[in-house]
């Protein structure tokens, strides 16, 4: 059976079931994401960073810049959800953002530093929340759906692991071992 290179850990799925332990684990996954990305790209050359992780996909560099773009939006969505009643969030065109010059050519380290700071602050906030706060909601117009912050947390815990797996799966397919 062929692996779907778009979803190396499988597509996101949320069953609606949340426990205190699953929340803690998802928060820890968010907390570990910056280190996981650093590890995944450790030792990669500039040429390797400019390699698409799958045919027709973004380069690893674009992907590394996408993560803080996406997670900054998620952090903002959390803050909106915590301070407003079921706010409608603003979607953004992530594919077009990935084509902007900063995403195509900036050093990966720049976005890794941003991700470090963002996740430090986001994790601090997440660890301070209780279950009732994570039951608050946002409305996602592209999905035409109301989402709890628990679901948003699950989505972004998955999102980090999903993109780390894009990098590590490519490195494994290509036999890239430097720095690992």
């Amino acid at each position: 059976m062929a692996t779907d290179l778009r979803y190396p850990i499988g597509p996101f799925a949320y069953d609606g079931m949340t426990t205190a332990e699953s929340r803690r684990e998802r928060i820890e996954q968010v907390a570990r994401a910056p280190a996981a990305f650093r590890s995944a790209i450790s030792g990669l050359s500039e040429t390797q960073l400019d390699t698409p992780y799958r045919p027709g996909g973004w380069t690893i560099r674009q992907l590394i810049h996408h993560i803080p773009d996406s997670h900054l939006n998620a952090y903002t969505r959390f803050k909106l959800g915590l301070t407003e009643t079921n706010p409608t969030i603003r979607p953004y065109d992530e594919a077009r953002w990935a084509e902007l010059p900063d995403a195509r050519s900036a050093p990966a380290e720049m976005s890794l530093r941003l991700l470090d700071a963002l996740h430090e602050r986001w994790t601090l906030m997440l660890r301070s929340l209780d279950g009732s706060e994570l039951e608050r909601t946002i409305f996602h117009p592209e999905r035409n759906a109301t989402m709890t912050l628990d679901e948003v947390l699950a989505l972004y815990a998955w999102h980090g692991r999903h993109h780390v797996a894009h990098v590590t799966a490519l490195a494994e397919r290509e036999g890239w071992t430097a720095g690992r």
Side-chain angles (χ1 to χ4, degrees):
M1 179 165 94
T3 301
D4 185 343
L5 298 179
R6 294 173 304 164
Y7 298 103
I9 63 169
F12 174 70
Y14 182 68
D15 63 8
M17 302 298 287
T18 301
T19 65
E21 182 55 35
S22 67
R23 284 179 179 132
R24 275 191 296 277
E25 178 53 30
R26 290 170 181 152
I27 291 168
E28 291 313 306
Q29 289 170 357
V30 169
R32 291 188 302 261
F37 281 105
R38 283 186 184 284
S39 177
I41 69 164
S42 175
L44 295 184
S45 69
E46 293 298 309
T47 300
Q48 290 167 327
L49 289 173
D50 291 327
T51 302
Y53 69 88
R54 67 176 173 84
W58 292 335
T59 66
I60 294 172
R61 184 182 313 276
Q62 287 172 295
L63 187 117
I64 293 298
H65 294 308
H66 159 73
I67 299 306
D69 287 346
S70 175
H71 291 200
L72 276 164
N73 275 283
Y75 177 67
T76 301
R77 291 167 182 178
F78 261 88
K79 290 201 154 231
L80 289 169
L82 290 168
T83 61
E84 299 177 18
T85 301
N86 197 40
T88 299
I89 59 99
R90 186 171 187 318
Y92 71 103
D93 188 338
E94 64 184 34
R96 290 188 66 194
W97 283 34
E99 293 301 324
L100 292 172
D102 63 320
R104 294 190 66 74
S105 63
E109 181 59 28
M110 183 184 302
S111 279
L112 292 172
R113 286 192 315 265
L114 177 57
L115 195 65
D116 285 337
L118 170 62
H119 277 240
E120 184 177 1
R121 187 158 172 200
W122 191 12
T123 300
L124 178 73
M125 180 185 65
L126 289 170
R127 288 179 176 147
S128 74
L129 302 177
D130 63 32
S132 66
E133 290 167 310
L134 288 167
E135 291 170 6
R136 293 181 61 92
T137 61
I138 61 171
F139 180 76
H140 197 304
E142 286 180 331
R143 294 174 182 234
N144 194 29
T146 295
M147 301 172 70
T148 66
L149 294 180
D150 267 325
E151 182 176 3
V152 177
L153 174 59
L155 173 62
Y156 283 91
W158 169 87
H159 188 254
R161 295 186 337 271
H162 164 72
H163 285 311
V164 165
H166 281 138
V167 176
T168 58
L170 173 62
E172 184 176 314
R173 287 191 314 273
E174 295 295 325
W176 298 340
T177 57
R180 294 190 184 1

